[in-house]
Amino acid sequence: MVWETLNVIGTIAFAMSGVNVALEERYDLMGVYILGFITAFGGGAVRNLLIGVPVSELWDQGALFTVAFLVMTLAFVFPTMVRWTLLRRGIFFDSIGLGAFSVQGALYAYSMGHPLSACIAAAALTGTGGGMIRDILAGRKPMFLQKEIYIAWTLIPGVVVGLGWLTGPLELLLVVTAVVVLRLCSVYYEWSLPSRLPDRAI
C-alpha cells in the first residue's frame, strides 16, 4: 500500500513538473506528453538499470501510465492548474516528486536486500533521474546541479530506509514530508553546499 501510494504521488507530481517545463518552453501537446512521461518514469528506468531490475518492469505499470496521461491532459487543457506553484519553475511539484520517489527508490532497493550504498544510490537516481532527463531535453541546466541543495536531500531516505530505521507507513510519510519541506526551504532561503572556484593559473 505504501509502495503504491508513493508511486502515485511521485508520478503525478513529476508529470505535473514535466508539463510545467513544457508549457514554459512552449511545447505542443506531444511535447507535453513526452516531457511529462520522461519526468515521471525516467528516474525509475535509470534506477532499474543500475540495481539489476529489468527495465521492462516499467511497462507493467499500466495504471500509472493512465494516471500520468490524464493528469497531463488536464494540465494542458487547463494550464492555470499547473501554474499553482509555491515557487517559480514548478519547484513545488518537483519537490513532492523528489520526496516521494527518493523514498520509493530506497524502499525498492531495501526490499530486494541490497546494501546501504545501493539504497542511497536508488534514492538519488529515482528522485532525480527523471528531472535530469527532462531538463536536458528542454535545454536547461539540470536542477540538481544548481546552487540550491537538491540531490543531497535524497541521502535522508537513502540512509534511514537503507538502515531499516524507518520503514512503516507513517514513518515513510514523515520522511517524504521532510525531504519536500527541506527542498522548498533550500530554494526559499537559498541554502547551498560549499563550493570552490578553480585556482587561477600562475
Side-chain angles (χ1 to χ4, degrees):
M1 184 63 181
V2 176
W3 182 275
E4 294 303 324
T5 301
L6 291 175
N7 249 341
V8 172
I9 293 174
T11 298
I12 292 175
F14 269 157
M16 292 286 281
S17 175
V19 171
N20 188 75
V21 172
L23 292 179
E24 287 184 354
E25 298 295 330
R26 300 180 181 276
Y27 286 9
D28 60 15
L29 179 59
M30 189 55 64
V32 167
Y33 286 143
I34 291 174
L35 215 57
F37 276 119
I38 284 293
T39 311
F41 298 100
V46 174
R47 174 205 64 208
N48 288 359
L49 277 173
L50 293 183
I51 66 174
V53 177
V55 180
S56 59
E57 283 200 7
L58 287 175
W59 304 117
D60 296 330
Q61 305 180 85
L64 286 179
F65 278 97
T66 301
V67 169
F69 175 78
L70 292 175
V71 167
M72 289 185 289
T73 301
L74 286 173
F76 184 82
V77 176
F78 305 104
T80 52
M81 68 180 288
V82 81
R83 292 172 188 158
W84 180 71
T85 56
L86 283 180
L87 300 166
R88 69 187 185 282
R89 292 187 59 188
I91 298 294
F92 179 63
F93 298 121
D94 200 83
S95 299
I96 296 175
L98 178 70
F101 271 2
S102 61
V103 171
Q104 191 245 27
L107 193 60
Y108 196 98
Y110 180 76
S111 68
M112 295 181 65
H114 289 306
L116 175 62
S117 57
C119 293
I120 293 174
L125 292 171
T126 312
T128 64
M132 175 182 66
I133 300 172
R134 172 204 64 204
D135 290 340
I136 291 175
L137 289 178
R140 295 184 171 191
K141 182 179 180 180
M143 273 189 170
F144 77 91
L145 295 179
Q146 296 187 39
K147 61 180 181 179
E148 298 94 2
I149 301 174
Y150 186 70
I151 196 172
W153 297 129
T154 64
L155 287 172
I156 297 173
V159 171
V160 299
V161 174
L163 291 175
W165 291 347
L166 302 175
T167 55
L170 292 179
E171 294 171 336
L172 292 174
L173 180 60
L174 287 175
V175 177
V176 172
T177 303
V179 173
V180 173
V181 171
L182 288 170
R183 169 58 186 159
L184 291 174
C185 287
S186 67
V187 175
Y188 187 79
Y189 295 108
E190 298 184 350
W191 295 342
S192 60
L193 296 172
S195 61
R196 294 188 62 180
L197 294 174
D199 295 331
R200 293 183 178 179
I202 299 177

